[in-house]
Amino acid sequence: MSKKILIVGGGLAGTIIANGLCRQISSDIRKGDVSITMLGTSETHMYQPGLLYVPFGKIRERELFRQQRKILNKLIIFHVDPAANIDVEGKQVTCASGAVYGYDYLVLATGSRLVPETIPGMAEGAHWLYDLDGARKMRDALAEFSGGKVVVNVNAPHKCPVAPLEITFMLKDFLEEKGVWDKSQITYTYPIGRLHALEPVAEWCKPAMDESGIKYETFFNTREVDPQAKTITSEEGVTLDYDLLVTIPPHRGAEVISESGLGDGGWVPTDRNKLLREGSNDVFVCGDTTNIPISKAGSTAHFEADTVIDNLVSLLTEGRWARNYDGKVFCFVETGLKTGTYVWFDYKTPPNPGAPSQMIHWFKLAYNRLYWLSARGLL
Amino acid sequence: MSERRIIDARGSYCPGPLMELIAALKLLQVGDEVEILSTDQGTARDVPEWTAKVGHETVESGDKDGHWYVVVRKMK
């Protein structure tokens, strides 16, 4: 009897898992002993971290996209048919088209989405770069910007936790290059009592912001934006004026998760070591979709995906568990338009970022292309 | 009926206990509670400081079995 693996989601996590499985069990798939089916929402696959460069004109849009079918191993069955209902009791997924797919093992990799509409005035008054449309609009706004008050506003929860800092420092360099920095002022706001969730990163960036003349406001959780008055107000009672508002909107998980009763806010309760849905032994959860208190980032998805691959292969071929996820995360941090650093940590090792350098910035630029090897399960 | 949700943020360096708490409160109803577990000693100080600023209630906090815990009630 053929074993059916069903992957819901065609982002980085789902794609690495699908391709990684094929690299290890291709002979079983060819014999018909195993099948891998992916349910995606788009024909194209976007390199999301590349959006960081769009507002600053540092990347061409076409570099961000590949055809998902071409990234996937030919042995994978791929449907662009978004999941509409996930039934983990009945072990089946119903899609928007009405098609129903059963499974022996299910992988939930449905990712996260922006919900600026949950904060009054934010969608109307703010710019963001976490999706292509937003990044294009921010690029246009920056092209017209001739100086003034800029607020870079961070909301919880959000993915890619170093991106807000990258945006801030790159924005400063951009305004300098444009020749309007002397007429501008950047204020960075953050939800908790320091400038970044990672304490060593917060300790590094505070003097860096002081030296750059970037102001900051901590304990700032956005209550509302007034697009007419051009003000942003926090739950803590602070109001800031702005001429240009750049926000990292709050995120939620996929609607199909919450609507299927699998987790409030679209986040699936997940065992932090096994990456199995709590209460299931045949439902893996990977990437932003989990509720694990860990960074929602591409590298998290990558390291988790490697763990899921090993365990699925081991369960299918040896009938046993292979290994646990150790909480590893690795993130590049662009510290301007010409320098970068990196940070890594796991459940037992605290982060310790190094000094920024041009070489790490270049390596990050190289990774912008190496990403496609990661998605193919080669890197 | 109000509920209490537990967030086990022990060993979580990023986004960390307070950010997890802020995100969780957005999904809860007024009167619901969150108990956050943390191995970061700063949690016992940061969380009550934030709840006081924003108008939520710290119900209890302390340490047990080698970790810190704080219970917060959503007030608005």
Side-chain angles (χ1 to χ4, degrees):
Chain A
M1 186 80 174
S2 173
K3 292 286 187 186
K4 290 185 268 190
I5 299 172
L6 183 61
I7 299 171
V8 182
L12 180 62
T15 303
I16 291 178
I17 290 171
N19 283 329
L21 288 170
C22 285
R23 294 184 71 77
Q24 293 203 42
I25 55 171
S26 59
S27 60
D28 301 278
I29 299 172
R30 287 195 175 89
K31 281 189 292 184
D33 292 341
V34 178
S35 70
I36 300 173
T37 301
M38 173 180 282
L39 304 175
T41 59
S42 172
E43 299 279 1
T44 55
H45 185 115
M46 182 172 70
Y47 172 53
Q48 294 183 51
L51 290 169
L52 176 66
Y53 302 91
V54 171
F56 306 107
K58 299 291 184 184
I59 200 167
R60 306 278 65 80
E61 285 184 17
R62 65 170 53 189
E63 289 185 60
L64 302 175
F65 294 98
R66 297 283 189 280
Q67 288 296 308
Q68 177 71 356
R69 181 63 268 178
K70 290 186 177 176
I71 297 170
L72 292 173
N73 189 300
K74 290 177 181 172
L75 295 172
I76 298 161
I77 302 161
F78 175 55
H79 300 289
V80 179
D81 197 358
N85 182 263
I86 301 165
D87 178 3
V88 296
E89 306 300 328
K91 292 169 73 81
Q92 63 180 30
V93 174
T94 305
C95 291
S97 70
V100 178
Y101 298 89
Y103 64 84
D104 293 288
Y105 288 104
L106 177 67
V107 177
L108 297 175
T110 44
S112 59
R113 62 195 171 95
L114 310 179
V115 287
E117 66 275 13
T118 59
I119 294 178
M122 180 172 279
E124 300 79 20
H127 288 280
W128 57 83
L129 56 68
Y130 271 52
D131 61 29
L132 183 59
D133 188 49
R136 285 171 171 163
K137 288 176 180 168
M138 185 172 156
R139 180 179 58 201
D140 295 343
L142 285 177
E144 291 179 7
F145 188 70
S146 56
K149 292 178 180 173
V150 183
V151 173
V152 179
N153 161 249
V154 187
N155 295 279
H158 63 270
K159 64 184 168 187
C160 201
V162 296
L165 287 177
E166 295 178 302
I167 293 163
T168 304
F169 286 111
M170 291 171 78
L171 192 53
K172 193 256 180 180
D173 282 4
F174 176 86
L175 296 176
E176 274 188 336
E177 285 187 1
K178 196 170 194 252
V180 297
W181 176 240
D182 58 340
K183 294 185 288 182
S184 302
Q185 178 188 85
I186 296 177
T187 303
Y188 167 92
T189 77
Y190 205 66
I192 64 173
R194 57 182 184 240
L195 296 177
H196 194 266
L198 289 166
E199 195 161 6
V201 173
E203 287 170 1
W204 160 76
C205 71
K206 187 172 184 294
M209 285 193 184
D210 288 337
E211 191 177 328
S212 299
I214 297 168
K215 296 178 181 296
Y216 39 79
E217 189 76 42
T218 55
F219 282 132
F220 192 103
N221 289 277
T222 314
R223 186 175 72 211
E224 62 183 357
V225 174
D226 185 335
Q228 277 71 47
K230 292 204 164 188
T231 59
I232 178 168
T233 301
S234 72
E235 294 284 358
E236 292 82 358
V238 175
T239 297
L240 299 173
D241 297 325
Y242 69 82
D243 296 298
L244 178 68
L245 176 59
V246 177
T247 192
I248 287 75
H251 289 45
R252 284 189 187 161
E255 286 177 296
V256 66
I257 297 296
S258 47
E259 288 172 1
S260 299
L262 296 178
D264 289 346
W267 316 120
V268 179
T270 304
D271 183 294
R272 62 158 63 186
N273 298 119
K274 292 184 178 298
L275 302 177
L276 285 167
R277 173 184 173 265
E278 288 180 7
S280 296
N281 58 16
D282 55 2
V283 181
F284 287 87
V285 193
C286 193
D288 291 357
T289 313
T290 79
N291 77 334
I292 302 173
I294 194 172
S295 308
K296 295 193 181 300
S299 81
T300 311
H302 189 157
F303 290 120
E304 288 178 349
D306 286 346
T307 310
V308 172
I309 292 165
D310 278 354
N311 285 318
L312 270 171
V313 170
S314 185
L315 287 167
L316 287 166
T317 60
E318 301 173 26
R320 65 178 191 87
W321 192 254
R323 67 182 174 97
N324 286 345
Y325 174 58
D326 62 1
K328 185 178 283 183
V329 179
F330 175 103
C331 293
F332 285 107
V333 187
E334 291 280 38
T335 52
L337 291 176
K338 293 175 182 170
T339 58
T341 183
Y342 67 92
V343 60
W344 80 270
F345 50 93
D346 59 29
Y347 289 145
K348 293 180 179 172
T349 313
N352 183 23
S357 73
Q358 192 171 53
M359 187 180 74
I360 297 172
H361 165 68
W362 286 342
F363 195 82
K364 162 80 188 213
L365 295 184
Y367 185 78
N368 289 339
R369 289 170 171 79
L370 290 171
Y371 169 86
W372 300 107
L373 297 180
S374 293
R376 287 183 169 89
L378 294 167
L379 181 66
Chain B
M1 178 150 174
S2 60
E3 62 170 279
R4 178 180 288 192
R5 179 169 302 185
I6 294 175
I7 299 173
D8 185 354
R10 288 175 290 184
S12 169
Y13 297 107
C14 183
L18 180 51
M19 199 83 90
E20 291 289 344
L21 171 68
I22 292 168
L25 286 171
K26 290 181 178 180
L27 297 172
L28 296 179
Q29 304 297 315
V30 171
D32 289 345
E33 294 178 351
V34 177
E35 179 175 358
I36 189 138
L37 313 179
S38 171
T39 44
D40 176 7
Q41 187 174 2
T43 302
R45 179 192 64 240
D46 294 347
V47 171
E49 183 183 351
W50 178 73
T51 56
K53 270 180 185 287
V54 84
H56 297 307
E57 181 185 348
T58 298
V59 177
E60 60 176 303
S61 66
D63 62 291
K64 62 182 177 187
D65 305 329
H67 66 267
W68 283 264
Y69 71 96
V70 186
V71 179
V72 173
R73 182 178 296 132
K74 180 168 176 164
M75 299 301 289
K76 60 180 189 178

